[in-house]
Amino acid sequence: MAKTISNETQNEAMKVAKATQKPGQTKEQTKLIAAGIEKGIAEYKKQHKSKARDRDKARKQDIKAKARANADKSEANTEEETDTSSTTQYLPWGLLLLSWAGFIGFYFTR
């Protein structure tokens, strides 16, 4: 299962191999060093992609968790508003009845 290595990676590996080439080193030896560097670069890129995927998954899970927490909070707020609205709907009627009782009581006491 040999994966093809990009030309960019091959060129980069060859540049590094030629830069570290010692006097008297044959072209074959340089090519072997370049092949080792290519494998190292490929392994590094694979690990980097894996870490990036893991970070992305973790970020998405954080976003989902925050969204769920916000949804739970909004549901709780909605439930609280519903509970308080059932008690507050009697307040205006109670005040209305109290004011009418006060007017009638004032009218008859006069």
Side-chain angles (χ1 to χ4, degrees):
M1 183 173 133
K3 291 187 177 181
T4 57
I5 298 174
S6 69
N7 289 336
E8 179 183 322
T9 304
Q10 289 175 348
N11 291 338
E12 192 175 329
M14 189 55 84
K15 284 180 187 177
V16 172
K18 285 183 180 181
T20 59
Q21 188 175 14
K22 296 189 177 184
Q25 185 174 322
T26 65
K27 287 184 180 181
E28 286 299 316
Q29 291 171 333
T30 305
K31 285 182 183 179
L32 287 173
I33 292 171
I37 293 171
E38 285 177 24
K39 287 181 184 179
I41 291 172
E43 185 67 25
Y44 172 79
K45 285 182 178 180
K46 188 187 334 178
Q47 289 175 356
H48 184 70
K49 285 181 184 180
S50 175
K51 287 179 183 177
R53 278 194 304 271
D54 292 343
R55 279 194 307 268
D56 191 42
K57 285 180 185 178
R59 183 182 58 82
K60 286 181 181 180
Q61 287 177 351
D62 287 344
I63 291 171
K64 286 181 182 179
K66 287 178 183 176
R68 275 187 249 133
N70 288 340
D72 291 343
K73 286 180 183 177
S74 66
E75 287 177 10
N77 289 341
T78 306
E79 290 174 6
E80 289 175 8
E81 290 173 6
T82 305
D83 293 343
T84 57
S85 65
S86 64
T87 57
T88 57
Q89 70 182 4
Y90 298 118
L91 181 63
W93 289 106
L95 292 174
L96 179 67
L97 291 175
L98 184 63
S99 64
W100 279 100
F103 294 140
I104 292 171
F106 180 74
Y107 181 74
F108 285 121
T109 57
R110 209 168 160 223

